[in-house]
Amino acid sequence: MSLLHVRLAAAAIAVVALVAGGDAYQLTKPGTVISYDRRSLMVDGQRDIFFSGSIHYPRSPFHEWPDLIARAKEGGLNVIESYVFWNVHEPEMGVYNFEGRYDMIKFFKLIQEHEMYAMVRIGPFVQAEWNHGGLPYWLREVPDIIFRTDNEPFKKLMQKFVTLVVNKLKEAKLFASQGGPIILAQIENEYQHMEAAFKENGTRYIEWAAKMAISTDIGVPWIMCKQTKAPADVIPTCNGRHCGDTWPGPVDKNKPLLWTENWTAQYRVFGDPPSQRSAEDIAFAVARFFSVGGSMVNYYMYHGGTNFGRTGASFVMPRYYDEAPLDEFGMFKEPKWGHLKDLHHALRLCKNALLFGTPSTQPLGKLYEARVFEIPEQKVCVAFLSNHNTKEDGTVTFRGQKYFVPRRSVSILGDCKTVVFSTQYVNAQHNQRTFHFTDQTVQNNVWEMYTEGDQVPTYKFSTDRSEKPLEAYNMTKDKTDYLWYTTSFLLDPEDLPSRLDIKPVLEASSHGHAMVAFVNKKLVGCGHGTKMNKAFSLEKPIDVKVGINHISILSSTLGLQDSGSYLERRQAGVHSVTIQGLNTGTLDLTSNGWGHIVGLDGERKQAFTEKGGEVQWQPAVFDKPLTWYRRRFDMPSGEDPVVIDMNPMGKGILFVNGEGLGRYWSSYKHALGRPSQYLYHVPRCFLKPTGNVLTIFEEEGGRPDAIMILTVKRDNICSFISETNPGHVRSWETKDSQLTMVADDLKPRAVLTCPEKKMIQQVVFASYGNPLGICGNYTFGNCHTPKAKEIVEKACVGKRSCVLAVSHEVYGGDLNCPGTTATLAVQAKCSKRQRTAEQ
């Protein structure tokens, strides 16, 4: 086996271990100085390049933090970033919570134990698709408050919380100046458009925020993202997809180019179709950013996790940035994770030139250019050859040599001669995520119910009465999604339509977000808004009678809005109701007198808890609205992640053992005809070996007996590499600032590696020539070589990892075959190692 084979296999299998408890942190020490110039941040005067990833501690159970951080480091990151979430840390004024998955200090200490740096984005407004942008609800009830502007009540409370957080981090010695991992801190968040909205008050506020932050004396730089005109002592940073091409950098040429949010996908809301961002596009954007002088990129998100319970902002799904390099379950999403890891290695090969070389730019043709960093006297040089054409591959001449540059790509020449990495050529492995039925779905699939639909309240039994419907957020105070609106009205015989083919119509208008309406305790229909248009009207035909009629509307919200000015004024809930089509005309009930009931009876009686609360559970009848359902199930065997398939249900919220897994909305289909999310993560740390309780509240009606319990695997691993690809980036190392080849040759190679504790059991597909498709769905081309599968099986079956040459000579490929792409495609199946009798 060549040296490269050894290095590739070792790198593929390596598991990053925690630093032993007694070891000293190596990256900083008490008295460390974090400074900067235009080229980069500096740690004790040493420039460096930084690859950071966002992992938000409240979006994953603390049991999972060590593995997430370790996998991020294995992916080539040296920084972990997280926001701080005010509304989970101070849910009531003066009442604090830093426990469990809100244990901020534990999270940053784990980063330190993994020998990584950290970035803390305190905000305390963070947006982040998080409920209310991280601001606690109780702020809305502070007299005369206006959020995020030159407003004394807001500034006073903001400073108090920022000071609290800073002091906690100081007490734990977590800032780099104290020997801790935190090298950057952020105040405010994407304020530039807000400053325009608030005008002079916005400018005064942002200047105040900067001075207040700096006064905390944390010993590391403060940053403001998306704030071009950041105050003098604060570094402005970029958020976006292509900061290397859309952002000129700080106006102050003594400040470095830092990219705080490189969006690895698109966050999704209920009603959104699937979306993704390719590994190639992310790598292109990062390479471009470093080619124009950038020195830090933060992937937002590197692991998105889950918006548990009611923590998502309005309409935001529980599954958050599932397309990140580490998916919702913390599993490697390939090739995104591996391709970026290779990019990080390539850029580190060029670190000396990037940080100390003289930059220059050379046009190479229309939409082609070379960006060069060079130290001639040391013979240190790196060149980035860029092709901005989206549909045209091309060949350019650089320093007398021709280079093929694929469309929309960057080729990195580690010594200004040798291509060590191309953003468009993926040498990393691919994988496919699959979901697997478990026996626990059908074992003891017995459901109980407690229905609120048989107890629809009327005005007579309602509290909180008023002339008009009251605003929902002010009533619920973010303690529940639900608010009942009730009113009653009298009809005389002459009010009813005289024709049998005409029915009166209920029109109920709402500021958002959804409702279920009843007339005379009979369900008449459901309605909802959207993320973009939260306000909506429900119009349904109804049956009315002579005498007293009752309208009962259960209004629901899906979180508070997380962005924009005047958040404290945003509204939700029913605001007007009419009955149309009566013989005597339209009856406007808006000022008829309304009763309100905050929350559900099952919430007050804690039906969602593991013990079932104080409700009377009965054998279930399915497809009933406003019904609590529950069943028991055992934990599926093994270590694979567990999910609940909620496709048979309508809309509601679900719990396991009292832990809120998030809101579900399977009845809301996107343009392709499917729910935006129907699989819900159940972290294994939420489960017991037996007797787990799954509880759901269903608003519309569904079939809980058809809910499935599944496990998640990424056991289908693949490779799709052409013989024309550059050699693997780990074919090179840097020695004494010089690029040095450590491989026997520069031919591309495919590396296949199974997840931990699994090995390659089967080669499902192998072909050299011109195969087509994606991992899990490859097909043969006309240049297929039949012996490819046998060769791959011999090299890989029974091993956790194998390295395959990509060469027509090995597989008997014909380079003259019409249409050949000289590509090797392999799909292998991993499975758990089988223990033998001797073991």
Side-chain angles (χ1 to χ4, degrees), residues 13-18 66 69-71 73-75 114:
I13 297 176
V15 177
V16 180
L18 281 171
I69 295 168
R71 290 170 185 172
K73 183 173 182 178
E74 189 182 350
H114 282 80

Side-chain angles (χ1 to χ4, degrees), residues 417-438:
K417 295 179 290 188
T418 309
V419 178
V420 297
F421 184 84
S422 169
T423 61
Q424 195 62 29
Y425 289 122
V426 176
N427 285 333
Q429 78 172 21
H430 302 235
N431 62 23
Q432 178 192 38
R433 187 169 66 185
T434 54
F435 298 89
H436 300 262
F437 182 87
T438 68

Side-chain angles (χ1 to χ4, degrees), residues 59-187:
R59 285 177 158 138
S60 297
F62 67 86
H63 313 73
E64 298 178 2
W65 295 345
D67 283 345
L68 293 172
I69 295 168
R71 290 170 185 172
K73 183 173 182 178
E74 189 182 350
L77 302 192
N78 56 356
V79 186
I80 299 293
E81 174 274 330
S82 182
Y83 280 122
V84 175
F85 298 82
W86 189 355
N87 55 7
V88 301
H89 292 308
E90 192 177 4
E92 302 289 342
M93 185 185 290
V95 178
Y96 301 103
N97 181 2
F98 288 88
E99 304 297 324
R101 65 175 178 268
Y102 304 148
D103 192 341
M104 170 187 72
I105 300 302
K106 180 175 182 176
F107 180 75
F108 284 105
K109 283 186 174 180
L110 281 169
I111 296 170
Q112 183 174 21
E113 289 175 12
H114 282 80
E115 286 290 310
M116 299 180 76
Y117 296 115
M119 173 171 32
V120 58
R121 300 172 75 186
I122 298 175
F125 172 83
V126 298
Q127 187 167 341
E129 293 72 57
W130 189 262
N131 192 39
H132 217 204
L135 300 178
Y137 172 81
W138 53 262
L139 281 176
R140 293 168 63 110
E141 300 189 334
V142 174
D144 302 318
I145 198 166
I146 303 175
F147 298 168
R148 305 177 67 203
T149 187
D150 188 20
N151 172 266
E152 290 304 320
F154 180 77
K155 291 193 299 182
K156 178 181 178 181
L157 292 166
M158 173 178 164
Q159 182 169 7
K160 179 182 176 184
F161 180 73
V162 169
T163 303
L164 172 80
V165 170
V166 165
N167 286 343
K168 280 186 169 292
L169 295 171
K170 282 184 176 180
E171 289 166 9
K173 294 183 171 25
L174 287 170
F175 290 106
S177 55
Q178 302 172 291
I182 297 173
I183 58 173
L184 286 173
Q186 179 177 302
I187 194 70

Side-chain angles (χ1 to χ4, degrees), residues 211-225:
K211 291 177 182 177
M212 181 269 291
I214 292 168
S215 72
T216 60
D217 192 27
I218 58 176
V220 304
W222 285 90
I223 61 173
M224 285 183 176
C225 66

Side-chain angles (χ1 to χ4, degrees), residues 362-378:
Q362 178 183 341
L364 300 175
K366 185 178 181 180
L367 298 179
Y368 295 88
E369 72 172 6
R371 288 186 174 265
V372 180
F373 297 83
E374 189 167 16
I375 311 174
E377 63 274 16
Q378 297 181 19

Side-chain angles (χ1 to χ4, degrees), residues 743-764:
D744 295 337
D745 57 59
L746 296 181
K747 292 180 180 179
R749 288 172 173 81
V751 182
L752 293 173
T753 304
C754 286
E756 261 188 274
K757 302 179 183 179
K758 296 183 180 181
M759 65 180 185
I760 297 172
Q761 178 193 44
Q762 176 189 6
V763 175
V764 179

Side-chain angles (χ1 to χ4, degrees), residues 19 44 68 86 96 98 106 113 142 147 213 340 344 377 400 413 456 481 588 600 641 799 812:
V19 176
D44 286 328
L68 293 172
W86 189 355
Y96 301 103
F98 288 88
K106 180 175 182 176
E113 289 175 12
V142 174
F147 298 168
L340 295 178
H344 302 151
E377 63 274 16
L413 280 55
V456 173
D481 286 351
D588 188 347
L600 304 168
K799 301 176 182 177

Side-chain angles (χ1 to χ4, degrees), residues 627-832:
T627 299
W628 295 85
Y629 291 103
R630 72 170 186 169
R631 65 159 289 190
R632 296 185 181 275
F633 69 98
D634 296 340
M635 184 192 299
S637 60
E639 299 177 3
D640 295 320
V642 178
V643 296
I644 306 291
D645 184 342
M646 296 296 291
N647 206 35
M649 303 306 293
K651 177 180 180 292
I653 191 164
L654 70 158
F655 306 84
V656 167
N657 295 335
E659 293 276 0
L661 301 185
R663 304 176 179 100
Y664 68 88
W665 201 350
S666 303
S667 63
Y668 185 8
K669 306 293 196 292
H670 56 61
L672 302 179
R674 306 234 14 203
S676 298
Q677 178 177 353
Y678 58 92
L679 299 173
Y680 288 79
H681 183 204
V682 189
R684 283 188 176 266
C685 58
F686 288 4
L687 298 175
K688 305 177 296 182
T690 60
N692 299 287
V693 180
L694 169 61
T695 307
I696 61 178
F697 175 68
E698 172 57 48
E699 299 175 27
E700 302 172 351
R703 293 294 308 239
D705 59 327
I707 290 172
M708 291 190 290
I709 301 168
L710 310 174
T711 55
V712 190
K713 300 179 187 292
R714 285 192 181 269
D715 286 350
N716 288 315
I717 59 174
C718 303
S719 183
F720 194 86
I721 298 178
S722 171
E723 195 167 338
T724 61
N725 279 24
H728 198 285
V729 68
R730 295 188 185 275
S731 302
W732 294 273
E733 289 184 355
T734 302
K735 296 181 180 178
D736 298 325
S737 298
Q738 302 301 308
L739 189 68
T740 304
M741 191 173 81
V742 295
D744 295 337
D745 57 59
L746 296 181
K747 292 180 180 179
R749 288 172 173 81
V751 182
L752 293 173
T753 304
C754 286
E756 261 188 274
K757 302 179 183 179
K758 296 183 180 181
M759 65 180 185
I760 297 172
Q761 178 193 44
Q762 176 189 6
V763 175
V764 179
F765 180 96
S767 176
Y768 182 94
N770 54 348
L772 298 172
I774 60 174
C775 186
N777 191 27
Y778 290 134
T779 57
F780 299 122
N782 64 293
C783 299
H784 167 63
T785 52
K787 70 176 187 178
K789 187 173 181 182
E790 178 184 349
I791 294 171
V792 174
E793 285 175 336
K794 185 176 180 180
C796 296
V797 171
K799 301 176 182 177
R800 186 187 167 203
S801 182
C802 61
V803 181
L804 300 168
V806 182
S807 169
H808 65 284
E809 297 168 342
V810 174
Y811 304 99
D814 180 4
L815 293 183
N816 295 316
C817 177
T820 188
T821 54
T823 295
L824 174 67
V826 177
Q827 179 186 340
K829 177 75 173 178
C830 300
S831 66
K832 199 165 185 178

